Amino acid sequence: MLFGRYINKYYLKYAIFFILGIAALVVVDLAQLFVPQFLGNIVDLLGDGAISAEEQAKMIQMIIATLVVAGVIMLGRMLWRVTIFHAAYKIEAHLREEMFLKAERLSQRYFHENKIGTIMAWFTNDIETIQEFFGWGTIMLVDAAFLTIIVIVRMFMLDSLLTMIALVPILLIAVWGALVEKYMAKLWDIRQSSFDNLYDFSQETFTGISVIKAFVKETQQLHAFAKAAKKDKDVNVDFARISVLFDSAIGVIIAVIFAIIMGFGGWFVYSFATGNNIVILGHTLDLKPGELVTFTGYFDLLIWPMMAMGHIISMHSRAKTSLGRITHFLDEPEEIHDKASAKDLKEVKGSIKFNDFSFTYPGSKEPSLKNISLEIQAGETVGIVGKIGCGKTTLVNSLLRLYNVDNHSIEIDGVNLMDCTIKSVRDNIAYVPQDNFLFSDKISNNIAFSNKELPLEKIRESSAFSDVDKDIMEFPNKYDTITGERGVTLSGGQKQRISIARAHIKDAPILILDDSVSAVDVSTEEAILKHIKEERAGKTTLVVASRVSTVSHLDKIIVLKDGELEAFASPKELLKISPTYKTMVYLQKLEDEVEGGDR
């Protein structure tokens, strides 16, 4: 069996299915034992050539009994397939769900350090390996154990010497399996790692296909993929070679022993026909011809359990390795979690305070933000500007508890951020990220992501807020238009505005726009900023921008330089106290003059 703290609970949860399935397997195994016995009896009835009426009646009874047994076997096999495989697939579904929930709780750091392709391999290949063991592994284990024991007992009752000969392959298979199991587990781990690499490469290639085409690097990627695929093929061939060698060795052992038994059987038949007794090592064989047929039939029943033992060893080594990989994932510490004493953040007004806030990304030696101290009043609309890499996104992301921060370094409405439940914090913040991620779904579902029950009228109101309603209504399917993967069917500006509509419809006390109007034209940007000023009056809004014109009419502006706070004041005051802001304004004017615009 396969044991581990993440799967042991499922044995109890689906005990009824396993019990019914195993009971059906036992019934099938017992029923199969009657077939060799019936065949042996029929041979005995045909022994002298002449068949009496009484013997004919007995033979008919045997044939009918064989058909009944066949029916029982058929029904039993249907039952164990339905119950055991049902439990196996349920366990697979529960385990995948548990992994998905775990993935949602893990921090951003984990996904930066582990490739998506590798994680997806755990969710597919490794879980399916475990499901296979719970299904076919359970069946093979029961057959290999119960059928082997009961058949050997029956064989001993017929002849002990021939049975001892028949036990040789079982002992050889057990020894052979013990020798190769650890080696096969190691090969399976190498195989899975190779598959991870191939999955990573494929996922990265498909994600960046537009870049590959733009640089005409299809041939280069093809060669790189061929190299990765060849490495994966070689690893799989090595594993298959050992598996085939293992199975072939078992098959040879079984065939040799079967040939020996058949040889003894032929010798016995000849000796019986000539009236001579067979004595081996002082043991006299006194089986009747029908009993020899029964004994051979019993050994034939042993072939499947012996082969199953080989499959179980191989399957167990694979499942154990896959479970180890999944366990490693599920054991990953959750850095972002609620304190035991955490409380919900209620009736948020929207004031935000940074108290000597510094932040360093996990694994980095240099801090991204240093000693930020400022206070944003509830209802203010505040811009955040600075050069690329100065920490603008890091500052707003810290409010979402995507990373842990120092105690009392950030407060919302005077409450320590680390004392609040993560859900309540994120419920009170609407966020538009830089990458404007859209799901491959209807536009209406993307906008109403925070609440799928919202009516179309409400969705259109938010679309009008972000000035994208007119664009959507020009599509043939309007709000039922499918955006495609990551919104591939839409322009950059449309994706940005749909993302803004998605955040606006949440109607949160705090709204964060992280460089969210960079892909729209000037008039659209002005319309969105006007709607923010009008419709979000009394609510806090943070606007990260790369253009000064985006934030020049806001209440206040945060200016960051090299991760430090250079200034925090109104646009008018910043022209006096902030060199960085004055430079950005000057460069913006030059850009407008070059483009012939007047902003």
Side-chain angles (χ1 to χ4, degrees), residues 35 47 63 74 80 152 166 176 181 213 229 234 271 290 330 337 356 428 441 450 460 468 475 478 496-497 511 560 581:
V35 176
I63 294 173
M74 180 187 71
W80 63 249
I152 289 175
W176 178 243
E181 181 180 14
K213 289 182 176 180
D234 292 342
S271 300
L330 292 174
H337 56 81
D356 197 27
N428 284 285
D441 200 348
S450 60
R460 292 198 62 182
V468 73
F475 296 147
K478 298 180 173 56
Q496 280 193 338
R497 286 177 285 161
L511 171 63
L560 297 177
Y581 184 76

Side-chain angles (χ1 to χ4, degrees), residues 41 113 263 334 343 405:
N41 292 338
E113 295 176 356
E334 296 176 15
K343 296 181 180 179
V405 298

Side-chain angles (χ1 to χ4, degrees), residues 15-208:
I16 184 64
F17 292 99
F18 283 115
I19 291 172
L20 287 174
I22 291 173
L25 271 170
V26 170
V27 169
V28 169
D29 289 342
L30 289 173
Q32 290 181 103
L33 296 176
F34 287 100
V35 176
Q37 182 179 334
F38 292 158
L39 292 177
N41 292 338
I42 291 172
V43 169
D44 285 339
L45 289 172
L46 294 172
D48 56 3
I51 304 176
S52 65
E54 183 179 354
E55 289 174 333
Q56 287 180 353
K58 288 183 178 179
M59 188 175 296
I60 292 173
Q61 290 177 358
M62 291 293 175
I63 294 173
I64 293 174
T66 303
L67 294 175
V68 171
V69 167
V72 171
I73 293 173
M74 180 187 71
L75 294 174
R77 285 177 175 171
M78 289 175 59
L79 181 59
W80 63 249
R81 277 180 168 85
V82 170
T83 52
I84 293 178
F85 285 128
H86 172 81
Y89 285 118
K90 281 289 187 180
I91 291 171
E92 176 188 9
H94 283 303
L95 192 56
R96 184 176 283 114
E97 180 182 10
E98 187 174 357
M99 291 176 66
F100 183 81
L101 294 175
K102 176 70 175 186
E104 288 187 320
R105 296 192 299 269
L106 290 174
S107 66
Q108 300 290 93
R109 176 197 61 79
Y110 184 82
F111 296 102
H112 290 160
E113 295 176 356
N114 295 272
K115 294 183 178 181
I116 300 300
T118 299
I119 297 173
M120 290 304 298
W122 300 339
F123 274 79
T124 53
N125 221 14
D126 286 300
I127 286 186
E128 288 170 2
T129 301
I130 293 173
Q131 174 269 317
E132 180 187 38
F133 184 80
F134 270 106
W136 284 111
T138 300
I139 293 163
M140 292 179 183
L141 185 62
V142 172
D143 271 351
F146 181 80
L147 190 59
T148 298
I149 293 172
I150 195 70
V151 167
I152 289 175
V153 171
R154 291 290 187 92
M155 292 169 70
F156 259 108
M157 293 171 64
L158 289 172
D159 191 276
S160 58
L161 180 62
L162 286 180
T163 303
M164 294 298 292
I165 296 173
L167 286 178
V168 173
I170 297 177
L171 296 175
L172 292 176
I173 290 171
V175 173
W176 178 243
L179 292 174
V180 302
E181 181 180 14
K182 289 186 178 180
Y183 182 62
M184 291 186 70
K186 182 180 179 181
L187 283 180
W188 182 255
D189 190 33
I190 295 173
R191 177 192 178 278
Q192 294 298 82
S193 297
S194 176
F195 180 79
D196 292 348
N197 295 332
L198 186 63
Y199 210 136
D200 286 335
F201 183 89
S202 302
Q203 188 267 339
E204 190 174 61
T205 298
F206 293 138
T207 301

